[in-house]
């Protein structure tokens, strides 16, 4: 059973999320919090597997609460939710240590699937958000050129794979582009994540943008 803590400053939202999750025998909603500070306190008391965390809350916002939990209670994985799916919120939540980010207009089925995904330690980012993050921050119209000096001890091949990953290539596309096997790509990506100190592809995209190795694009909207 997956133990879930719900943190949101709106009682109706908390109740709605609980009503979605509680009937499923895979979940146990162990508590609710109306602000980020209480979410951190309850997480330490209740030790949930997943914290469904609103981003905008009083006392301590969701990003700060996520950062605190990632530092002090990493076994409680955070799934961030927000009415505002602006890129800066997505970036801030993922950099703080959230395992996922979803807008609040998702379906109940999408929420349930995301909680399961986060519980396994995988990233759960709404496809439209990750796609927009890539298109907003990363210009992928041309194949990137590896820099002369790789950051964080990356080898030239790892740097090349990281940049292709950051521009939206999946493992099969990277393998085809570089004429190597998919399993070799996976092995390289594991090493890349370790050296960069990131957990998943979403954080790798952000790291590529923040490092300046991938050219920043401009949002059309």
């Amino acid at each position: 059973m997956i133990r879930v803590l719900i943190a949101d400053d709106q009682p109706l939202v908390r109740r709605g999320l609980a009503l979605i999750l509680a009937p499923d025998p895979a979940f146990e909603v162990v508590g609710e919090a109306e602000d980020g500070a209480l979410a951190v306190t309850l997480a330490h008391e209740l030790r949930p597997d997943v914290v469904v965390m609103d981003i905008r809350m009083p006392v301590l916002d969701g990003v700060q609460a996520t950062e605190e939990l990632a530092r002090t209670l990493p076994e409680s994985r955070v799934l961030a939710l927000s009415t505002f799916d602006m890129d800066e919120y997505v970036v801030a939540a993922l950099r703080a240590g959230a395992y996922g980010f979803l807008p609040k207009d998702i379906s109940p089925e999408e929420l349930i699937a995301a909680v399961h995904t986060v519980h396994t330690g995988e990233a759960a980012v709404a496809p439209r958000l990750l796609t927009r993050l890539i298109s907003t921050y990363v210009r992928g119209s041309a194949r990137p050129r590896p820099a002369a000096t790789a950051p964080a001890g990356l080898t030239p091949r790892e740097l090349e794979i990281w940049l292709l990953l950051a521009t939206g290539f999946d493992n099969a596309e990277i393998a085809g582009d570089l004429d190597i096997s998919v399993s070799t790509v996976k092995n390289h990506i594991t090493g890349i994540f370790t050296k960069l100190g990131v957990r998943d592809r979403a954080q790798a995209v952000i790291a590529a943008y923040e490092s300046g190795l991938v050219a920043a694009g401009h949002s059309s909207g």
Side-chain angles (χ1 to χ4, degrees):
M1 184 173 287
I2 301 172
R3 293 164 53 82
V4 181
L5 172 66
I6 297 171
D8 195 290
D9 62 337
Q10 299 182 42
L12 284 177
V13 173
R14 294 199 304 271
R15 180 49 43 198
L17 294 172
L19 288 173
I20 291 171
L21 296 174
D24 191 317
F27 302 115
E28 179 186 4
V29 178
V30 296
E32 298 180 14
E34 67 264 21
D35 61 64
L38 182 58
V40 172
T41 298
L42 288 180
H44 280 275
E45 291 177 1
L46 302 172
R47 301 298 171 117
D49 300 302
V50 177
V51 180
V52 178
M53 181 87 73
D54 185 28
I55 289 298
R56 293 174 59 119
M57 289 188 292
V59 185
L60 193 69
D61 68 32
V63 172
Q64 293 172 303
T66 296
E67 190 171 28
E68 178 67 16
L69 287 177
R71 183 178 62 84
T72 62
L73 197 68
E75 61 270 26
S76 291
R77 294 166 176 155
V78 173
L79 173 61
L81 294 182
S82 181
T83 304
F84 307 93
D85 61 358
M86 293 183 290
D87 295 330
E88 56 264 36
Y89 288 144
V90 182
V91 171
L94 294 175
R95 292 299 286 176
Y99 274 73
F101 191 107
L102 298 177
K104 286 185 179 178
D105 60 1
I106 57 168
S107 68
E109 293 77 18
E110 288 172 314
L111 175 65
I112 289 170
V115 174
H116 277 292
T117 298
V118 166
H119 179 246
T120 66
E122 298 294 326
V125 180
R128 81 177 193 231
L129 301 185
L130 188 54
T131 299
R132 196 179 67 216
L133 191 66
I134 292 171
S135 64
T136 300
Y137 289 121
V138 180
R139 186 188 303 121
S141 58
R143 177 173 170 170
R145 300 289 182 181
T149 303
L154 266 63
T155 66
R157 176 52 62 116
E158 287 173 337
L159 180 61
E160 192 170 26
I161 290 174
W162 177 34
L163 291 173
L164 290 173
L165 179 156
T167 54
F169 283 53
D170 62 27
N171 289 357
E173 289 170 333
I174 294 172
D177 193 75
L178 299 179
D179 196 24
I180 58 178
S181 69
V182 172
S183 62
T184 298
V185 172
K186 290 179 180 178
N187 289 337
H188 279 305
I189 288 175
T190 298
I192 291 165
F193 287 0
T194 299
K195 291 179 180 180
L196 294 176
V198 302
R199 190 181 55 238
D200 51 50
R201 298 177 92 90
Q203 289 191 347
V205 171
I206 296 166
Y209 165 69
E210 291 184 337
S211 72
L213 288 175
V214 179
H218 300 281
S219 175
S220 61

